[in-house]
Amino acid sequence: MHSQKIHNKKLILPVLIFLAGCLALAAVLYHSYRTNLKHMRAVTELNATTYAERLQNDMNRGVAITDTLEEIVLSENGKIDNFQKVAGNLMTDFVQSIQIAPNGVVTDIYPEAGNEAEKIDLIHDESRGEICRYGRDKNIVTMQGPFDLKQGGRGIAIRNPVYLECPDGTSAFWGFTIVIIRIPEVFEKSVQSLTQFGYDYCLTKTVSPLSDDTEVVSASGNILKEPITFEFEFCGSTFGLEVMPTDGWNHGWNILPQLVFGICIILLLTGLTVIVLVVERHREILKKMAITDPLTGLLNRKGFDEQLEKVIQDGHCIHCVGAQMDIDDFKFINDMYGHVVGDTALKSLAQDMKDNFGVNAILCRNGGDEFSVILIGTTEEEAKSIIESFTLKPRYITYNGEEHPFYISLGYAEYPKDCDDVLELIRCADMALYAVKLHGKHSCSPYSSDYKIQHRSQLGFALQDVSKNLPGAFLIYIADPEDDRILFANRELIEFAGCKDFDDFLDYTGQRFRNLIHPDERDSVETSIWKQIDAKTSGNNDYVRFHFAKKDGSYRPVLDHGRIVESRYYGNVFYVLIMDCALIESFYDGFSR
């Protein structure tokens, strides 16, 4: 359960890595966006500065015309001969008209056609007077507009005040040289280049040097969002150039490749983490399989030794009790009931070990029906009652719907009371178990210092080995006249009966001993047997002669010699040797000769 919780916690790791990756990707994309935005704004600011200078240069072409007229006026001492010819030479495609206004009154306009009404007194004009007086008094070039032109379109007036030098060295106001420029024609090349370069723009201007009101001079027509603004002063007016990329501030920043690449990296890292966890999980499973008994779920001997060594290294073995146990007559259980039932007994005992000895114990199945236990931090006195209760606990197996009891024997020892090395505990416990076996099984016993620490020898024979090689036919059946059920028959008896195997033998006999006796002799033979049993109570019965019924329908004279024994599992049972009379007679005939 604990390892499962740890495994479940580890499964959260890929989710955390995925979420962390998403957050990191979002941070990277945001940083990329901000970096791109900062770069775009820096480039746009540089372009706004550049194009603002170009716009100033465009407007300076209009100012230059007024400067040229001023030079002529000054050179001619206040006169301009052939104005129409001079203005015609100065005329260009972005100029609506060229004018002169001696004493502030417009007298000449080029071209005259369509501009007759423009000959007005600028100084005293209601809409133009204030700014003209301001330019005159400050001796600065002023701009006014934009305003609608009568000829169509929009324009801006550039007025250059001209002063003549008097004989006394003072300056006297002569008038204005004036150019009306058309917008946005004056900026046509600049704004066309700006839009072709991928920018939207809006150029604004204060209507005059005496007002903070602004009007749009020229614009691309699209709404600008968070534009770069560059302001500059020109001819007393404040211009503002707002610029932003036509494709928006994300221009040049493509999120899709970065997003796809980032997601691929996240999925790759998440996948690698999952693979690492799966490999680690499989490694843990394989490691657990390598040290775990697959049938009972307990440690195998390798796992037991590793766990014990770890406990020793950690210094937890101040006191501990080691126990060694096995199932009494386990081979008989397997032979009588089959290995499935035997496995059930093993698993039942293993579960009892888990339930009784708790988590502070090392539990092991050594192999077969042998089990080992190390109780950590426990003394023999503290463990005695638990071990005795565990040993004597009733245990059952089920076969053909009937419950049959099975028992265990257990030996135990304490460290450091019984040995100087924890690793010797199981050997001490094994000697104690051997003593239990010698004294009748189904019990538990502590280790005694009288035992010699040595490997316990075993007979090395099993029922199957003995019965298979016994020189004679042998069977076991229940000593009950109402239920003479056959429990076992060795190979020689099965072959003597003419059967293939034990199952065939049981089918043939109906699992009844009496069915091996000639039908005419059954009652007399059974009566003879039970008379002997009643007379002697237990032990050997005399030889009983009868005709043995074979599967092929023939009969062979045999001698039956048996012993009645009390079994913990079945009560009284017969152990019987069946001897072929013909074989015995031939032997004795040969011996007599």
Side-chain angles (χ1 to χ4, degrees):
M1 182 65 72
H2 177 67
S3 62
Q4 184 63 36
K5 288 182 179 179
I6 294 176
H7 176 63
N8 291 338
K9 288 181 180 178
K10 286 183 178 179
L11 291 179
I12 300 175
L13 183 59
V15 177
L16 294 178
I17 288 179
F18 180 79
L19 294 177
C22 290
L23 291 176
L25 177 60
V28 169
L29 292 178
Y30 178 74
H31 176 73
S32 174
Y33 166 75
R34 295 299 301 176
T35 301
N36 182 75
L37 178 62
K38 184 177 180 180
H39 172 72
M40 287 298 298
R41 293 188 72 86
V43 172
T44 301
E45 185 174 0
L46 180 62
N47 285 324
T49 303
T50 301
Y51 279 95
E53 292 176 355
R54 292 184 62 174
L55 293 175
Q56 292 181 68
N57 292 334
D58 290 337
M59 290 184 290
N60 266 326
R61 291 187 293 164
V63 175
I65 294 175
T66 65
D67 290 338
T68 301
L69 291 176
E70 180 184 10
E71 292 295 328
I72 295 173
V73 170
L74 294 176
S75 65
E76 296 294 332
N77 196 23
K79 295 181 181 179
I80 299 180
D81 296 329
N82 299 318
F83 170 77
Q84 293 294 324
K85 183 177 180 180
V86 171
N89 291 331
L90 296 174
M91 195 68 178
T92 186
D93 56 355
F94 61 85
V95 175
Q96 175 62 34
S97 66
I98 301 174
Q99 307 173 12
I100 56 173
N103 296 316
V105 179
V106 177
T107 57
D108 295 281
I109 299 176
Y110 181 86
E112 292 182 331
N115 292 306
E116 295 84 356
E118 295 296 332
K119 298 177 180 181
I120 57 176
D121 183 356
L122 297 176
I123 299 297
H124 301 95
D125 184 74
E126 182 179 354
S127 61
R128 301 174 179 86
E130 186 177 17
I131 187 173
C132 289
R133 290 191 296 272
Y134 176 82
R136 178 197 65 184
D137 297 341
K138 298 293 185 179
N139 192 16
I140 61 173
V141 179
T142 61
M143 299 185 74
Q144 187 175 10
F147 49 81
D148 293 330
L149 298 172
K150 292 181 179 180
Q151 296 84 358
R154 304 214 357 124
I156 294 177
I158 301 175
R159 302 185 183 98
N160 184 4
V162 179
Y163 282 79
L164 296 178
E165 186 176 352
C166 298
D168 59 3
T170 60
S171 296
F173 176 67
W174 175 85
F176 296 100
T177 57
I178 304 168
V179 172
I180 307 298
I181 59 174
R182 297 180 63 85
I183 55 172
E185 286 84 349
V186 68
F187 312 124
E188 183 175 1
K189 291 183 179 179
S190 295
V191 298
Q192 185 178 19
S193 177
L194 187 62
T195 54
Q196 287 177 349
F197 201 59
Y199 290 100
D200 287 329
Y201 74 96
C202 180
L203 178 65
T204 60
K205 170 189 172 297
T206 54
V207 293
S208 75
L210 304 176
S211 174
D212 291 331
D213 295 336
T214 60
E215 288 193 34
V216 175
V217 177
S218 180
S220 59
N222 294 325
I223 298 175
L224 305 184
K225 297 180 180 179
E226 301 180 4
I228 294 294
T229 301
F230 184 83
E231 292 186 348
F232 59 93
E233 299 291 328
F234 190 81
C235 294
S237 295
T238 301
F239 285 81
L241 177 62
E242 296 180 338
V243 180
M244 72 164 289
T246 303
D247 296 334
W249 291 112
N250 291 331
H251 178 72
W253 183 68
N254 191 351
I255 188 175
L256 186 60
Q258 299 181 62
L259 182 62
V260 171
F261 180 75
I263 290 176
C264 289
I265 293 297
I266 292 171
L267 293 177
L268 178 61
L269 290 176
T270 304
L272 287 175
T273 303
V274 171
I275 290 172
V276 169
L277 290 178
V278 169
V279 170
E280 178 65 18
R281 179 61 175 169
H282 280 282
R283 188 187 69 80
E284 291 175 357
I285 292 173
L286 291 174
K287 181 180 179 182
K288 184 176 181 180
M289 290 174 61
I291 62 173
T292 303
D293 174 55
L295 177 66
T296 62
L298 303 181
L299 294 172
N300 59 21
R301 189 58 194 231
K302 180 177 181 295
F304 179 79
D305 291 341
E306 289 180 0
Q307 190 69 22
L308 182 57
E309 185 175 350
K310 184 176 183 298
V311 171
I312 294 172
Q313 291 174 351
D314 294 342
H316 296 316
C317 282
I318 300 175
H319 290 283
C320 57
V321 172
Q324 185 81 348
M325 71 188 80
D326 63 18
I327 297 176
D328 295 339
D329 305 315
F330 181 68
K331 183 62 177 176
F332 182 79
I333 294 174
N334 273 339
D335 290 339
M336 290 297 99
Y337 308 119
H339 289 282
V340 173
V341 177
D343 289 347
T344 301
L346 294 173
K347 289 189 285 187
S348 175
L349 178 57
Q351 188 59 49
D352 283 347
M353 292 170 64
K354 295 175 186 177
D355 296 340
N356 283 269
F357 297 125
V359 295
N360 197 30
I362 305 175
L363 309 178
C364 164
R365 180 191 176 198
N366 291 318
D369 64 323
E370 291 188 359
F371 294 82
S372 298
V373 179
I374 297 290
L375 302 177
I376 302 168
T378 304
T379 64
E380 179 185 310
E381 189 63 30
E382 292 169 339
K384 181 177 180 180
S385 60
I386 298 174
I387 290 175
E388 289 180 350
S389 174
F390 173 79
T391 304
L392 300 177
K393 176 183 177 181
R395 295 180 175 87
Y396 298 92
I397 52 176
T398 302
Y399 180 73
N400 288 340
E402 296 182 7
E403 285 191 342
H404 302 281
F406 73 94
Y407 306 95
I408 67 169
S409 297
L410 184 148
Y412 59 99
E414 179 189 347
Y415 168 84
K417 182 175 75 71
D418 297 325
C419 57
D420 297 329
D421 189 342
V422 177
L423 299 176
E424 292 293 328
L425 260 182
I426 295 302
R427 294 180 64 187
C428 293
D430 193 52
M431 295 306 299
L433 173 60
Y434 187 39
V436 173
K437 292 291 188 181
L438 292 176
H439 290 83
K441 307 179 183 179
H442 188 205
S443 183
C444 61
S445 175
Y447 173 77
S448 171
S449 58
D450 295 335
Y451 303 150
K452 291 183 179 180
I453 303 298
Q454 59 186 4
H455 288 291
R456 171 163 56 92
S457 62
Q458 297 182 357
L459 179 61
F461 300 136
L463 175 62
Q464 189 68 26
D465 298 326
V466 175
S467 64
K468 181 187 293 184
N469 298 291
L470 188 68
F474 171 76
L475 81 160
I476 304 172
Y477 67 94
I478 296 175
D480 183 343
E482 302 300 326
D483 181 19
D484 58 346
R485 181 157 38 102
I486 295 173
L487 301 175
F488 181 79
N490 72 346
R491 187 68 199 169
E492 190 153 340
L493 180 63
I494 292 171
E495 292 177 351
F496 184 69
C499 297
K500 295 185 301 182
D501 50 35
F502 187 61
D503 289 336
D504 186 30
F505 179 75
L506 292 180
D507 288 340
Y508 161 59
T509 60
Q511 209 171 345
R512 298 291 302 278
F513 170 70
R514 72 191 317 268
N515 291 334
L516 292 173
I517 306 171
H518 192 287
D520 296 340
E521 301 173 339
R522 286 173 186 169
D523 292 339
S524 60
V525 169
E526 288 180 342
T527 299
S528 174
I529 292 174
W530 283 104
K531 273 186 179 182
Q532 296 178 47
I533 292 173
D534 292 339
K536 297 182 179 180
T537 305
S538 65
N540 295 328
N541 67 298
D542 290 336
Y543 290 99
V544 177
R545 182 165 182 158
F546 64 89
H547 286 83
F548 187 92
K550 299 184 65 171
K551 185 179 179 180
D552 61 6
S554 62
Y555 298 94
R556 295 284 294 275
V558 297
L559 288 176
D560 170 319
H561 184 65
R563 169 173 290 180
I564 190 167
V565 178
E566 184 176 353
S567 166
R568 159 182 315 135
Y569 302 105
Y570 298 102
N572 290 334
V573 296
F574 272 128
Y575 286 68
V576 180
L577 288 175
I578 302 293
M579 292 165 281
D580 189 348
C581 291
L583 181 62
I584 294 174
E585 290 171 357
S586 65
F587 172 77
Y588 281 109
D589 286 345
F591 182 76
S592 62
R593 294 192 190 99

